[in-house]
Amino acid sequence: MKIGIIGSGNIGGTLTRRLRELGHDVTVANSRGPGSLAGLAAETGASAGTVQEAARGEIVFIAVPMKAVPDLPAEDLAGRVVADAGNYYPARDGQIEAIDGGTTSSRWTAEHLPGARVVKIFNTIRADHLLTHGRPAGGDGRVALPLAGDDGAAKELIMGLVDELGFDPIDAGGLDDSWRQEPGTPVYGADLDAARLRAGLAGAAR
């Protein structure tokens, strides 16, 4: 699969490593340009590209600070399956009035990327656990990960990739339900199995 990754920090770099291990064609990009990604490209065999080049993937992961979302190439991402791994941290991102007022961070992201098929995923797991905690399907101790989105076909595509990476994908509803997997909820950073993840999602409170 042709995959773009925008963001080369902890999550973006880890996704680049894991997805290349699985044989996917990965283009990784960041705001500093392809030259800053030479080391990661040499390590993994991924292509270091521009943000616009990464945005041409069949699936495009965005793993950037929330404050950087308005700078993403919305026109290039229109119609794409966009996997949103971001979280809103006011201390880092500054106060975002709409999110403070109750809009989920992924809904806010989708509003900045009209036409993109946004799915919230990989925002609840630590990067080092994403790197090392994948397990074969049906095995003991498999970590479950929630995903939320409004496009059923996009969610199915992401669910297949999550399973391939070694985690149980759990449908957590639409983008407006994705607050249940945001920081401060029972499932955030918890590395739960499928049953406990579902219980955590159901027990979340605002």
Side-chain angles (χ1 to χ4, degrees), residues 12-108:
T14 297
L15 284 167
T16 300
R17 293 176 176 92
R18 290 293 325 276
L19 292 167
R20 281 296 301 139
E21 286 172 1
L22 293 170
H24 294 289
D25 179 0
V26 176
T27 298
V28 60
N30 63 20
S31 61
R32 299 183 300 279
S36 67
L37 295 166
L40 182 61
E43 174 196 341
T44 62
S47 299
T50 65
V51 170
Q52 287 73 22
E53 287 169 338
R56 297 173 190 151
E58 296 169 65
I59 298 175
V60 182
F61 288 89
I62 53 173
V64 300
M66 199 63 54
K67 63 184 178 182
V69 166
D71 298 325
L72 293 172
E75 290 185 2
D76 295 293
L77 292 169
R80 304 286 181 183
V81 175
V82 173
D84 173 22
N87 284 308
Y88 172 48
Y89 301 116
R92 178 195 66 186
D93 299 311
Q95 301 298 141
I96 298 176
E97 184 177 356
I99 300 178
D100 290 339
T103 299
T104 64
S105 61
S106 282
R107 174 64 69 193
W108 184 83

Side-chain angles (χ1 to χ4, degrees), residues 109-121:
T109 294
E111 289 171 352
H112 281 82
L113 304 175
R117 302 161 67 194
V118 175
V119 178
K120 184 78 160 183
I121 184 62

Side-chain angles (χ1 to χ4, degrees), residues 1-14:
M1 189 177 294
K2 184 175 176 59
I3 295 174
I5 299 175
I6 301 175
S8 59
N10 290 334
I11 291 293
T14 297

Side-chain angles (χ1 to χ4, degrees), residues 113-203:
L113 304 175
R117 302 161 67 194
V118 175
V119 178
K120 184 78 160 183
I121 184 62
F122 295 126
N123 71 300
T124 61
I125 188 169
R126 287 171 40 175
D128 56 334
H129 291 187
L130 177 58
L131 185 64
T132 62
H133 283 27
R135 299 288 185 271
D140 292 336
R142 206 179 202 217
V143 173
L145 298 178
L147 70 157
D150 298 337
D151 185 310
K155 284 201 287 189
E156 287 291 333
L157 190 62
I158 297 295
M159 289 174 86
L161 201 57
V162 171
D163 181 61
E164 189 180 358
L165 285 163
F167 301 92
D168 283 334
I170 302 299
D171 192 334
L175 290 181
D176 292 332
D177 301 306
S178 63
W179 63 268
R180 295 181 181 275
Q181 64 191 79
E182 289 180 342
T185 62
V187 305
Y188 180 75
D191 288 347
L192 304 172
D193 64 20
R196 291 190 297 160
L197 181 77
R198 289 188 178 97
L201 290 167

